[in-house]
Amino acid sequence: MSLIITAAVTGGEYVSRVESPYVPRTVDEVVEEVLRSVEAGASVVHLHAKNPENGEAYSGDPNPVLREYVKAIREKVDVVINVTTGGGRVGNPPEVWDRLVKEKCGLGQEMMSLNMGTINRWAEHPTGEVFLNTVPMIERWAGYMRDAGIKPEHEVYDTGMINTCHALVQKKIMREPLHIQFVMVGRTGFLPNIKALTYSLDQIPPTWTWSVCALGRNEIPMCNAAMLLGGHVRVGFEDNVFLRKGEYAKSNADLVRKVANIAKELERPVADPSEARKILGLKKP
Ligand code: KMH
Ligand code: ZN
């Protein structure tokens, strides 16, 4: 199967100019990073809203910024757009998160992250120690995505969350095949190693598609493991800002190119956006 490379280009909630001078801030910089990443082999881009002043996580309603990203990207390049459900949590109660996620389903993207459980924070974060994703929240948000025709990327941080994925199918909230992202954050979640990954793969049916992301120096080794085991990969500044020890990636495209080159050596063809849509069962928007 061709390899889907997702580029998580924006730096997400944790990574900004503090971690690397190359993290994009403005809409134009984010779009430029998307264009470079697609050119290098990414067929999916994962987006968080960033504050254009400093590249930090956007503190208000993230949806207007995300809408600008989606519009500008659609005007310039064909790529599968995967928008985070994150953002807008700090200082707001869960009812507001809920409304923001519902509204976020109308931005014109094909995919969205759906975090499959509550987990202690794996890095310092202004919302405190817990990344709260209760089962009722997950079920509601899955329903919003299903009703909007958006395919969730089920973010699984630990093995118990795989059971929650199965429960969504059993309760007929989601239809198979699901697409899983094994988010191997270490510390409070999966250790980024092959044993944890192969155990997890034993828990999902072969019809589901899956991808791996891991943080920092674990990113490329775990992408290698995923490629060998027949999965897909995610790279980018959200997870890692270094191309190799002591050397910043100057663009997300450097990281995309690195895994695309390894895929070539492994004789794993790199999917273009239309192949990625076929693999993931998506319609072109
Ligand atoms: N930042 C990653 C560790 C999301 O955006 O909802 C997980 C992630 C989830 O990408
Ligand atoms: Zn994310």
Side-chain angles (χ1 to χ4, degrees), residues 265-281:
E265 293 299 331
L266 295 173
E267 304 198 12
R268 191 86 202 267
V270 173
D272 65 17
S274 66
E275 288 169 311
R277 287 193 184 95
K278 252 187 230 141
I279 293 167
L280 296 167

Side-chain angles (χ1 to χ4, degrees), residues 14 117-124 128-131 156-161 183-192 215:
Y14 294 94
T118 296
I119 175 173
N120 286 301
R121 291 277 175 187
W122 52 93
E124 218 172 289
E129 62 187 22
V130 169
F131 183 34
V156 166
Y157 296 75
D158 217 335
T159 50
M161 297 187 198
V183 188
M184 307 194 87
V185 290
R187 301 190 186 103
T188 55
F190 276 127
L191 290 178
L215 308 184

Side-chain angles (χ1 to χ4, degrees), residues 216-282:
R217 66 192 157 82
N218 295 303
E219 177 176 79
I220 300 295
M222 287 315 296
C223 286
N224 273 287
M227 285 192 269
L228 287 170
L229 292 166
H232 305 285
V233 298
R234 164 172 134 172
V235 293
F237 289 161
E238 183 163 340
D239 307 323
N240 169 40
V241 294
F242 290 102
L243 187 57
R244 55 182 67 83
K245 194 170 181 198
E247 185 187 336
Y248 284 120
K250 293 195 174 57
S251 161
N252 287 276
D254 294 344
L255 296 163
V256 173
R257 207 170 294 111
K258 186 160 181 163
V259 285
N261 285 337
I262 298 168
K264 201 169 160 196
E265 293 299 331
L266 295 173
E267 304 198 12
R268 191 86 202 267
V270 173
D272 65 17
S274 66
E275 288 169 311
R277 287 193 184 95
K278 252 187 230 141
I279 293 167
L280 296 167
L282 305 171

Side-chain angles (χ1 to χ4, degrees), residues 8 12-13 46-48 84 113 155 234 238:
E13 306 283 304
H46 172 74
L47 304 172
H48 288 246
T84 181
S113 63
E155 313 289 326
R234 164 172 134 172
E238 183 163 340

Side-chain angles (χ1 to χ4, degrees), residues 7-20:
V9 297
T10 63
E13 306 283 304
Y14 294 94
V15 179
S16 70
R17 292 273 161 136
V18 173
E19 283 73 29
S20 160

